[in-house]
Amino acid sequence: MIAELGHFALTLALAVALVQTVMPLIGAWKGWPGWMAVADPAATTQFLLVGFAFAALTHAFVTSDFSVALVVSNSHTLKPMIYKISGVWGNHEGSLLLWVLILALFGACASWFGGNLPPTLKARVIAVQGSIGVAFLMFMLFTSNPFDRMPLPPMDGQDLNPLLQDPGLAFHPPFLYLGYVGLSMAFSFAVAALIEGRVDAAWGRWVRPWTLAAWVFLTIGIALGSWWAYYELGWGGFWFWDPVENASFMPWLIAAALLHSAIVVEKREALKSWTILLAILAFGFSLIGTFIVRSGIITSVHAFANDPERGVFILLIFAFFVGGALMLYAMRAGVMEAKGVFSTFSRESALVLNNVLLAVSAFVVFIGTIWPLVAEMLWDRKLSVGPPFFDAAFTPFVVALAMLLPLGASLPWKRAELGKAMRPLWGALALSVAGGALTFAVQTGQSALGPVGLALGLWVVLGAASDLWLRCGRGSIGQRLGRLTRLPRADWGKAVAHGGLGITIFAVAALTAWQVEDIRVVKPGDSFEVAGYDITLQGVREVQGPNYRSTMAEMRVRDGSRNFTLFPEKRIYPVAGMPTTEAAIDYGFLRDVYLVLGDPQADGGWAVRSYIKPFANWLWGGCIIMALGGFISLSDRRYRIAAGSRKAPQGVPAE
């Protein structure tokens, strides 16, 4: 009965979403306040209905209701409770329901926290958000109903994919969807502004917090996915340029460009057309990611579905929204005329270059991701575009961006003198170059990538600190420290986020250049040495888990005077009939010891892979710091939607 109620709630949500789309748009066009006011209760009602449906599906998973087909194919009575809950979104239909729930949540948030928006703009934003809800609710109800019943319910389920039975995957999709779907708000603001015929500084202020929130959640989601791949898949890596990994990375890059471009709109009323285009593209890339994950055209451990018909439906959604938005964009070119002018050396120019680097890097990733599909369709050729291409093509953009960032953040608006802008940064530059040179001198026979990564990371971090210190003005150290504590949170957030990026750049370079890998066959009792660590295979035993059987190795590691034991495993999940590898990791501030148990050998030994991974935790630490910087900026009242600018409208309304 609860499943039927959930299905009925989704049907009602579709009807409400249609009302949310049509009535506010007509009301804004005709100037009817009553019709525009329908947007608020409709957005809230749609969220409550989809929330009830999601709760109904969660109830089916928690209670192991095997009369629901989705529960049968993705759950089992012996599965731990956390994975019963995460199984709700560990599949195509359930994850799509989570997608729609978050979409409805953002629409409701626009209603709850958009009190300072002009009534017509608010009505149009919520209506556009509702139209996206209509499309995805139709997609779900017509092709991916999560409440389909089984004619003859089985006694037990088929279990969830064992790779997804992990805490990292329990939290990774919700955060990722908050970022993916959050970019729909930037899209809705862009389309609403185009319909209204007004793109001004106030619009730049309003769109920024929504974009920033989506970017923060996307950062957390990508970092969680990277961490999961690192410890769960057992191959020792944190990023493989998998097509589905790229699907989340591309909108992250475009969203970062959109954030910086919106600053120029807000401060200087320039780059209006470019910012609107980025808002459309950011959501467009999110839809492309949805297509890649759910169409079956890509084989990946991350993929949810392999039904081409569903892929066609998503392509139709993409064509309607992105194609329609681009047509509207072309029609409204006249209302996006830039007002601010700036010289070649200015913060505006630096932000333009920042945008170009981010956007082009995103398209490089897009070409590398989609090219194998194009080659197969047009020339019937099987091509593989892997890490070597992406590393070679993408790295120069990261290097250029890191070199630009500290200087660009310090330049004044409109006009700048390069020598004067560099004056406070010479110390940071000297320390960065010295750090890289010292590292290069100390290391022997290794890649220059590590020292270059250290120098770039230091340059970004020290540049962010210098910019923060420069904002404290002149005076004694005590006076400047006092002003430092009173700086706007947005300034602190920018410095923290840029510092996190610098740490991440260094960590990626250090991991790539300095990790040590060892693969060998080891018998119980044997010892071997890897990069100064003495490792002994004490023994291998069978262990019974709650819903799996494990072959667990006990491996003692001696690091000078310190001894510790790690337990790498190979698990088999009998219900799913699928093996998994569980790496054993000793996490450290400066390095990780990473051990993987392989297959048994004919001579009684075991294949063992050992890695010493320097600065691995700095990678996820840098991502956390980037996200923290975003949260700090969001806490600045000037950038919350409730504190939107009350600037007088500019431009001529469309109607």
Side-chain angles (χ1 to χ4, degrees):
M1 182 62 182
I2 294 180
E4 277 70 29
L5 289 175
H7 188 193
F8 182 60
L10 287 180
T11 307
L12 284 180
L14 175 59
V16 172
L18 284 167
V19 172
Q20 178 184 334
T21 302
V22 175
M23 290 188 67
L25 282 178
I26 295 175
W29 177 44
K30 295 289 188 180
W32 297 342
W35 283 48
M36 287 190 287
V38 169
D40 291 328
T44 301
T45 303
Q46 186 197 161
F47 170 65
L48 292 176
L49 288 169
V50 178
F52 177 83
F54 188 83
L57 186 62
T58 304
H59 176 269
F61 271 84
V62 169
T63 59
S64 295
D65 181 0
F66 296 119
S67 67
V68 178
L70 195 65
V71 180
V72 174
S73 57
N74 292 278
S75 191
H76 190 271
T77 52
L78 295 179
K79 193 166 64 171
M81 181 57 69
I82 184 175
Y83 303 134
K84 288 185 178 181
I85 296 172
S86 63
V88 175
W89 54 81
N91 54 82
H92 166 68
E93 291 83 359
S95 66
L96 185 60
L97 180 55
L98 177 63
W99 212 102
V100 174
L101 175 64
I102 294 173
L103 183 70
L105 172 62
F106 274 102
C109 285
S111 167
W112 301 336
F113 304 116
N116 281 358
L117 292 172
T120 54
L121 179 66
K122 180 182 177 183
R124 286 171 171 141
V125 167
I126 296 175
V128 175
Q129 196 73 4
S131 69
I132 302 171
V134 169
F136 277 93
L137 282 165
M138 290 175 64
F139 175 40
M140 181 161 44
L141 288 170
F142 295 155
T143 73
S144 311
N145 183 8
F147 296 104
D148 280 343
R149 290 286 197 178
M150 294 289 290
L152 296 173
M155 294 297 294
D156 217 330
Q158 300 170 10
D159 209 355
L160 179 67
N161 184 337
L163 286 174
L164 304 182
Q165 296 187 37
D166 181 87
L169 261 292
F171 300 104
H172 162 62
F175 277 106
L176 201 63
Y177 288 0
L178 282 166
Y180 257 161
V181 183
L183 291 174
S184 65
M185 284 302 300
F187 176 84
S188 295
F189 267 91
V191 172
L194 289 173
I195 295 173
E196 193 149 307
R198 187 182 75 212
V199 182
D200 55 14
W203 179 87
R205 171 71 60 87
W206 290 323
V207 80
R208 279 184 65 196
W210 297 103
T211 306
L212 181 57
W215 180 86
V216 167
F217 287 125
L218 199 51
T219 302
I220 296 172
I222 292 172
L224 283 172
S226 173
W227 182 48
W228 168 79
Y230 174 72
Y231 71 80
E232 175 64 24
L233 298 184
W235 56 281
F238 60 91
W239 195 261
F240 196 64
W241 295 105
D242 179 281
V244 180
E245 290 176 340
N246 296 346
S248 60
F249 191 45
M250 291 184 288
W252 184 88
L253 291 168
I254 297 294
L258 174 58
L259 272 176
H260 292 84
S261 183
I263 296 173
V264 184
V265 176
E266 178 189 346
K267 300 292 185 182
R268 301 288 301 147
E269 291 213 33
L271 302 186
K272 294 179 183 179
S273 59
W274 175 245
T275 305
I276 291 287
L277 181 60
L278 285 175
I280 296 170
L281 290 178
F283 183 59
F285 273 112
S286 293
L287 292 177
I288 289 172
T290 304
F291 170 73
I292 289 174
V293 173
R294 300 175 190 277
S295 64
I297 63 169
I298 294 289
T299 300
S300 168
V301 69
H302 306 77
F304 278 125
N306 55 6
D307 184 353
E309 291 184 7
R310 291 170 173 168
V312 171
F313 206 117
I314 297 171
L315 281 181
L316 291 174
I317 293 174
F318 174 84
F320 177 80
F321 284 101
V322 178
L326 290 176
M327 288 179 60
L328 187 59
Y329 174 81
M331 293 167 58
R332 292 294 196 187
V335 304
M336 294 181 286
E337 182 181 354
K339 295 186 176 180
V341 294
F342 49 87
S343 68
T344 303
F345 291 108
S346 62
R347 183 174 297 188
E348 293 95 328
S349 294
L351 287 170
V352 169
L353 184 54
N354 160 286
N355 269 225
V356 170
L357 291 171
L358 287 169
V360 174
S361 64
F363 279 101
V364 166
V365 176
F366 174 72
I367 293 299
T369 304
I370 211 72
W371 187 250
L373 304 176
V374 175
E376 185 173 356
M377 287 189 298
L378 297 183
W379 301 293
D380 196 25
R381 293 181 58 190
K382 295 282 187 180
L383 296 179
S384 176
V385 179
F389 165 80
F390 290 106
D391 292 342
F394 184 78
T395 302
F397 295 101
V398 177
V399 172
L401 190 64
M403 293 174 64
L404 169 71
L405 201 56
L407 176 61
S410 302
L411 290 173
W413 295 100
K414 195 172 182 179
R415 184 178 294 107
E417 296 179 16
L418 190 58
K420 186 177 180 181
M422 272 298 299
R423 197 174 301 152
L425 294 173
W426 283 118
L429 181 60
L431 285 174
S432 304
V433 173
L438 178 62
T439 305
F440 185 77
V442 170
Q443 73 173 22
T444 56
Q446 292 180 314
S447 166
L449 178 61
V452 170
L454 175 63
L456 286 174
L458 275 174
W459 169 238
V460 174
V461 172
L462 295 176
S466 298
D467 179 51
L468 207 58
W469 185 249
L470 187 64
R471 293 177 183 276
C472 298
R474 298 186 177 184
S476 66
I477 292 180
Q479 290 173 326
R480 297 183 78 173
L481 286 174
R483 296 190 199 106
L484 190 65
T485 60
R486 297 191 295 272
L487 285 176
R489 292 181 185 176
D491 290 343
W492 275 100
K494 181 185 78 169
V496 170
H498 287 179
L501 176 63
I503 293 171
T504 302
I505 290 172
F506 163 66
V508 170
L511 264 171
T512 305
W514 296 331
Q515 82 165 1
V516 178
E517 179 181 1
D518 179 87
I519 304 175
R520 65 178 68 213
V521 175
V522 185
K523 294 181 179 180
D526 287 353
S527 298
F528 58 98
E529 186 267 340
V530 180
Y533 293 85
D534 292 319
I535 304 173
T536 303
L537 177 60
Q538 300 284 83
V540 180
R541 66 181 188 273
E542 298 295 321
V543 177
Q544 181 64 48
N547 63 332
Y548 62 84
R549 296 191 306 272
S550 170
T551 301
M552 179 184 292
E554 180 179 346
M555 304 187 73
R556 182 172 54 82
V557 183
R558 183 160 59 86
D559 175 16
S561 59
R562 178 172 174 257
N563 294 308
F564 53 92
T565 303
L566 296 176
F567 300 93
E569 301 178 60
K570 288 182 70 67
R571 293 178 180 175
I572 182 73
Y573 290 75
V575 175
M578 181 175 176
T580 65
T581 299
E582 302 292 324
I585 307 173
D586 180 67
Y587 295 98
F589 183 69
L590 298 178
R591 61 90 189 109
D592 284 358
V593 177
Y594 187 110
L595 302 178
V596 180
L597 181 67
D599 295 324
Q601 305 298 305
D603 61 356
W606 292 82
V608 172
R609 281 184 291 136
S610 309
Y611 301 89
I612 308 301
K613 294 185 164 292
F615 302 101
N617 288 311
W618 290 43
L619 173 61
W620 298 288
C623 293
I624 291 171
I625 291 171
M626 277 195 284
L628 176 62
F631 279 124
I632 292 172
S633 291
L634 279 174
S635 69
D636 190 324
R637 64 173 298 276
R638 297 177 304 166
Y639 299 109
R640 293 197 298 267
I641 193 67
S645 171
R646 293 181 179 272
K647 193 172 181 178
Q650 299 181 22
V652 180
E655 56 278 355

